[in-house]
Amino acid sequence: MRHLIISGLLLTVVLLGACSRNSRSDPADLPGLEMVENLKFKAADSTYNDLLQKDPNALTALYGQGLVLERQLFYYDALYKYFLIIEKEPAYAPAHEGKIRILSRIGPEEELAYALEEYARLNINDWKFYFNLAKYYLRLTRTDLALVNLEKARKLGLERPLYDILRAEVLWQEGKFDSAETVAAAALANAAPSALFYGEAAEFYQIKGLSDSAIILSHQAVTAEGHTYEDIFNLFFRCLENNYFSDARKIMYGVDSTGETRSFYYFLEYYYYMARQEYYRASVATFINLNSFPNSITSIWYHVETRSKLRDLMSCDNEMDRMNIMMSRNKYQQLFYDFMQYKVAMMKIRLRDFVSAEKRFNEMTGWRKETKAYLMTWASILHNSGRFELYDSTMEVYYNRYHTRPDWLTAMADVHAEEAIHKYAEAEKWYRQVLAENNWYRPAYDHLTGIFIRLKQYDRALQIMNEYPDFVRRYPRTAINKALCLVEMNRYDEGLKLFEENIIHLKKDIVLFERLIDILMRKYETDYTGRVINMMLQLNPDNPDFLVLAAVTQSDLKNYKKALETAEKALVVEPAFLEAWIQKAYAMYWLGQKDEAFALFEKLNRENYDNLIVQLFYSITLVKEKKDMGKTGNLVRTAVGQARYLFKSYLNIFNYNMADKRYKMAIDDADNMMVLFDDNPRSYYYMGLAMFKNGDKQARTYLQKAIDMGLKGDELDQAKAMMNKLG
């Protein structure tokens, strides 16, 4: 069920022989290239091993090994090969290009910037060389360097439409929006169809925030003349970046999950589930590859990434220690070793292990210590370790040195705005300074409004949005953020109108609809929720993700018959879509078809034992039935914290403990809900309910707060009844 092979355009692109043999970056004389492009990885790798036995320093063979790894998404292992080649022969351009390709995917930005500096020293007299530099400098928003290299590429023969589309990106990033539109229009009118042009046109529309247009152009790139696997990966990652998960799944399911492409498939799953915030499922994908390739740096590191999301600190530390021992024992090249130590140090920060992070930062040498990321992280370490005066003096030094650069000043404000540091007034001052001098600089605007959205101070966020109306007018996503703030402030008609006007440019971004529905459901606005369901299904009538979201919401509204119909429609579109089967079983249960529902849930759970969404919805029904409470408890506890259904998962364990008359444990569950969902009146209602059942008269305080916050429906009636009994 999980590995449905989908026919059509995307499958044709992904399957064997789909790509042009001549990759834009690979040496034309590379042996075994056809095998690589046809996913015959073992045969290609055997070819390169044979060549290396004859000549251990054969650069094309080393590069071929790196390319095989890169094509399978073993990005860190491929990167190591490229580091090795550059150490042996600094002028070998394909290795630099491979390194840049990978760093543009996995980051961090400062590593990509340094790789571009190294590549630029080659000074190859070819337009493709300068075009590559211009393209990747634009990814770093270094418009000055991008423009210099773009002009050189033009002089050496870069076609005018390609020149114009990159020039349009430069102009847009510099805030010259009208000029950018004019130049882009000319490029689109005059360009001959090619993967290279469509790819860059997609990038232009991406920076404009027009996701639909960007993804349409990315689709065109993967079928146009000269397309490569990079175009396929660009499409896949662009779909994930924009939350177009149905499109990404089609690419993923077009890859065989067995044989030579097995690891490739599970790396795609890793990226997909990380983007979908299903971190446990992502960790299963990385664990499969880790078992198959225990000495792969990529497998180890991706497993660390997933476990960090699950707050499994012990696993993270163990795997990072094992990786370091393995690299030391196998005498990994020093530059690559330093690169991975930098990644480890940054991971320690994410895990809030500031002592270990500081030790690693102090051991670093060379150019990294002058990067923006290093300096900002160092400041964060100072504050989080209690050295507040040193933090303040350090930030003052940074300000005096970098305040004229909008990216640096924004990064400094970001440090002030960290939740643990919470110097929000100082952060706001610096964001506003950036906007006063560069009123087009979107990161400063997004991060400034983001502070107050995170703090749930929606009136302040709206005030700032109204101060800088051009951002809302120019970017659909910022307009939708404003719409969501309006809805939070109960200005429903105004908010939904703004949302509807802008969602047409991002119509498959399901996360935006999830956020809107979540707000409306929290506020018991069932009529407006129904209106949003109709809107999203009109825009996406045959998209299984939206049909499932509609089915989930219809069940929440207790319209189970409609939920069942919607789930079945999703299964017509994508017969193996697990989430649609889950919602079908769930709706069947509430419609009284309990035997059929439990039989289906058992089947789904047996075949997808690692899927927390199955376990969540199955256990909700089991709790309701008070059925097999031992088994049910295991399912309930496993599913707690499922990111996409977070409130449901905490409510489920609350209901389980209430059903089992463990009222003190239920009080703890309600306390968690009040911390995580402090703006939801139901959190306080459930605390009041648990306290009432436990005989605690303090229940009145929480029940009253829930009522004051807008509790409605049956829960309001029950809250009033409990308060009457409390006297």
Side-chain angles (χ1 to χ4, degrees):
M1 184 179 293
R2 184 181 295 157
H3 305 316
L4 172 73
I5 300 298
I6 296 174
S7 61
L9 169 63
L10 285 171
L11 179 61
T12 304
V13 170
V14 177
L15 287 180
L16 306 182
C19 288
S20 166
R21 186 167 185 266
N22 294 318
S23 167
R24 287 191 292 268
S25 299
D26 303 328
D29 61 344
L30 180 66
L33 180 59
E34 187 171 349
M35 287 183 279
V36 177
E37 299 293 4
N38 285 326
L39 311 185
K40 302 296 183 184
F41 299 126
K42 289 181 180 177
D45 205 41
S46 177
T47 298
Y48 300 130
N49 284 333
D50 290 345
L51 289 171
L52 285 169
Q53 284 184 351
K54 295 174 185 175
D55 178 6
N57 293 312
L59 297 181
T60 53
L62 281 171
Y63 178 77
Q65 285 186 326
L67 191 64
V68 169
L69 291 165
E70 184 184 349
R71 287 286 188 266
Q72 295 178 88
L73 303 184
F74 284 98
Y75 280 150
Y76 289 91
D77 303 277
L79 193 61
Y80 175 58
K81 294 288 184 183
Y82 298 148
F83 268 92
L84 275 178
I85 295 169
I86 293 167
E87 183 179 53
K88 288 175 181 289
E89 178 46 74
Y92 191 72
H96 285 277
E97 290 161 1
K99 182 179 175 182
I100 288 165
R101 278 195 307 271
I102 292 173
L103 289 173
S104 72
R105 292 257 187 256
I106 65 174
E109 287 189 355
E110 56 273 18
E111 298 289 339
L112 176 58
Y114 189 74
L116 287 170
E117 287 181 29
E118 290 183 312
Y119 183 51
R121 294 188 197 112
L122 302 185
N123 204 23
I124 299 171
N125 196 37
D126 186 300
W127 70 263
K128 293 180 183 178
F129 170 78
Y130 292 108
F131 176 84
N132 276 335
L133 283 168
K135 176 175 73 172
Y136 287 110
Y137 274 126
L138 275 171
R139 305 298 184 266
L140 297 172
T141 65
R142 290 299 307 272
T143 55
D144 52 343
L145 294 172
L147 188 56
V148 167
N149 286 286
L150 185 59
E151 296 297 341
K152 290 179 180 178
R154 177 65 179 145
K155 289 177 182 176
L156 290 170
L158 174 64
E159 293 177 356
R160 183 74 197 205
L162 265 174
Y163 168 83
D164 280 344
I165 201 67
L166 260 72
R167 176 74 174 140
E169 291 180 53
V170 170
L171 290 166
W172 189 275
Q173 290 189 15
E174 291 179 341
K176 300 167 184 173
F177 303 111
D178 292 341
S179 298
E181 296 279 19
T182 301
V183 172
L188 289 163
N190 297 318
S194 76
L196 194 55
F197 178 80
Y198 286 136
E200 286 310 312
E203 193 63 32
F204 175 67
Y205 280 96
Q206 184 68 49
I207 66 170
K208 287 182 64 181
L210 302 177
S211 300
D212 267 21
S213 300
I215 288 174
I216 287 169
L217 286 160
S218 286
H219 273 279
Q220 290 179 299
V222 300
T223 55
E225 182 182 350
H227 64 265
T228 73
Y229 275 91
E230 278 303 296
D231 297 306
I232 296 171
F233 295 147
N234 286 341
L235 173 59
F236 179 73
F237 288 115
R238 197 179 301 284
C239 288
L240 295 184
E241 180 185 355
N242 290 283
N243 305 320
Y244 281 42
F245 297 115
S246 169
D247 287 17
R249 249 189 347 269
K250 289 175 185 175
I251 297 174
M252 187 169 76
Y253 286 159
V255 175
D256 186 5
S257 63
T258 62
E260 290 193 60
T261 56
R262 184 172 186 266
S263 59
F264 177 33
Y265 174 84
Y266 283 109
F267 280 136
L268 290 175
E269 268 207 356
Y270 156 76
Y271 280 112
Y272 174 84
Y273 286 115
M274 287 291 278
R276 201 69 184 99
Q277 294 189 329
E278 292 181 35
Y279 301 126
Y280 182 77
R281 189 64 195 85
S283 78
V284 171
T286 60
F287 188 72
I288 289 169
N289 276 347
L290 189 62
N291 272 347
S292 300
F293 304 96
N295 295 325
S296 158
I297 298 294
T298 310
S299 297
I300 295 170
W301 190 254
Y302 284 173
H303 199 58
V304 169
E305 291 276 3
T306 59
R307 300 315 296 181
S308 73
K309 291 292 186 181
L310 296 168
R311 308 304 299 168
D312 182 1
L313 308 188
M314 183 177 293
S315 290
C316 290
D317 284 340
N318 288 343
E319 288 300 326
M320 286 189 286
D321 288 344
R322 187 171 75 83
M323 181 183 72
N324 287 336
I325 291 168
M326 186 184 77
M327 288 195 296
S328 297
R329 185 175 295 158
N330 294 326
K331 296 181 170 54
Y332 269 60
Q333 188 226 32
Q334 188 63 44
L335 290 175
F336 181 79
Y337 183 85
D338 291 344
F339 167 76
M340 291 309 301
Q341 293 313 299
Y342 182 61
K343 297 282 287 190
V344 168
M346 289 301 190
M347 177 58 73
K348 293 287 187 181
I349 294 291
R350 277 171 49 186
L351 298 173
R352 303 196 66 75
D353 182 356
F354 296 109
V355 174
S356 296
E358 181 172 357
K359 180 176 180 294
R360 292 176 183 278
F361 266 63
N362 284 330
E363 290 170 354
M364 285 183 199
T365 58
W367 62 269
R368 287 186 182 89
K369 299 193 78 165
E370 294 302 318
T371 63
K372 179 172 56 184
Y374 178 96
L375 294 173
M376 298 306 118
T377 306
W378 178 249
S380 181
I381 289 172
L382 292 175
H383 194 283
N384 280 289
S385 58
R387 287 168 281 180
F388 305 126
E389 291 184 5
L390 185 54
Y391 169 83
D392 290 336
S393 62
T394 299
M395 292 298 276
E396 185 178 352
V397 170
Y398 291 171
Y399 178 83
N400 291 334
R401 190 182 300 173
Y402 300 115
H403 70 275
T404 59
R405 295 176 59 175
D407 56 333
W408 279 78
L409 190 52
T410 299
M412 290 155 58
D414 291 343
V415 178
H416 274 330
E418 286 179 17
E419 196 167 353
I421 297 175
H422 56 266
K423 287 178 171 282
Y424 299 126
E426 293 90 334
E428 180 177 0
K429 177 183 175 183
W430 283 353
Y431 288 135
R432 286 185 177 278
Q433 182 176 333
V434 173
L435 290 168
E437 297 166 3
N438 310 272
N439 62 2
W440 46 267
Y441 193 66
R442 185 176 169 187
Y445 169 87
D446 284 343
H447 298 184
L448 175 56
T449 54
I451 289 176
F452 299 108
I453 291 171
R454 189 177 79 224
L455 296 174
K456 298 172 184 173
Q457 296 178 13
Y458 302 111
D459 54 342
R460 290 288 310 279
L462 275 175
Q463 177 189 338
I464 294 163
M465 291 171 182
N466 291 332
E467 284 181 56
Y468 303 99
D470 285 348
F471 288 103
V472 172
R473 179 176 58 81
R474 188 167 288 119
Y475 295 106
R477 202 169 294 275
T478 61
I480 286 172
N481 281 338
K482 180 176 182 179
L484 295 174
C485 287
L486 289 166
V487 173
E488 288 281 12
M489 296 180 67
N490 304 329
R491 293 161 64 177
Y492 301 115
D493 290 316
E494 189 180 353
L496 289 187
K497 181 175 183 292
L498 185 59
F499 187 95
E500 195 165 4
E501 288 170 353
N502 286 275
I503 199 64
I504 57 171
H505 301 295
L506 321 147
K507 62 177 179 286
K508 291 186 186 179
D509 187 336
I510 195 167
V511 172
L512 296 177
F513 281 99
E514 288 172 343
R515 288 170 60 193
L516 177 58
I517 288 171
D518 179 66
I519 297 168
L520 292 170
M521 289 295 290
R522 172 165 35 90
K523 291 174 173 288
Y524 299 90
E525 293 295 339
T526 56
D527 290 343
Y528 284 111
T529 302
R531 180 173 151 187
V532 172
I533 291 174
N534 291 335
M535 180 203 311
M536 74 181 188
L537 292 183
Q538 285 173 5
L539 291 169
N540 302 281
D542 299 314
N543 188 307
D545 288 334
F546 284 90
L547 289 165
V548 164
L549 175 57
V552 171
T553 310
Q554 287 157 349
S555 285
D556 288 343
L557 293 170
K558 296 183 169 51
N559 190 349
Y560 300 113
K561 183 178 179 182
K562 189 67 177 174
L564 180 58
E565 291 173 2
T566 307
E568 288 178 334
K569 184 175 180 183
L571 289 168
V572 171
V573 180
E574 190 175 329
F577 192 25
L578 176 60
E579 291 191 43
W581 284 104
I582 294 168
Q583 295 312 314
K584 177 176 179 176
Y586 190 68
M588 287 168 63
Y589 168 81
W590 291 103
L591 288 170
Q593 302 170 36
K594 294 184 179 180
D595 290 342
E596 298 95 323
F598 284 131
L600 180 52
F601 267 131
E602 276 293 331
K603 180 176 185 291
L604 296 175
N605 192 45
R606 187 170 59 251
E607 294 176 353
N608 304 275
Y609 57 88
D610 54 11
N611 192 291
L612 301 190
I613 298 177
V614 176
Q615 294 173 10
L616 173 61
F617 282 92
Y618 184 21
S619 63
I620 289 172
T621 62
L622 292 172
V623 169
K624 182 69 176 174
E625 292 290 305
K626 298 184 181 178
K627 188 174 182 178
D628 194 354
M629 294 300 274
K631 171 186 171 182
T632 299
N634 291 335
L635 290 172
V636 167
R637 282 185 285 272
T638 302
V640 167
Q642 212 294 324
R644 283 175 50 211
Y645 298 102
L646 199 58
F647 187 82
K648 269 188 175 67
S649 72
Y650 277 95
L651 177 56
N652 191 34
I653 195 167
F654 171 87
N655 286 335
Y656 170 77
N657 284 320
M658 290 291 288
D660 217 24
K661 298 184 179 179
R662 304 179 188 184
Y663 300 128
K664 289 185 178 179
M665 294 180 72
I667 288 170
D668 290 340
D669 299 329
D671 191 53
N672 286 331
M673 285 192 279
M674 290 193 304
V675 171
L676 292 167
F677 313 101
D678 60 339
D679 55 352
N680 192 327
R682 297 175 74 197
S683 300
Y684 302 92
Y685 165 76
Y686 292 124
M687 176 60 89
L689 174 61
M691 285 185 162
F692 177 82
K693 291 288 187 181
N694 199 46
D696 188 337
K697 291 189 176 182
Q698 198 179 351
R700 168 181 284 280
T701 302
Y702 293 99
L703 293 169
Q704 186 62 56
K705 181 162 186 176
I707 293 169
D708 293 343
M709 289 178 68
L711 191 71
K712 292 182 182 177
D714 293 342
E715 290 164 342
L716 175 60
D717 295 337
Q718 291 165 13
K720 288 179 177 178
M722 283 186 279
M723 290 182 70
N724 287 335
K725 289 181 181 179
L726 287 167

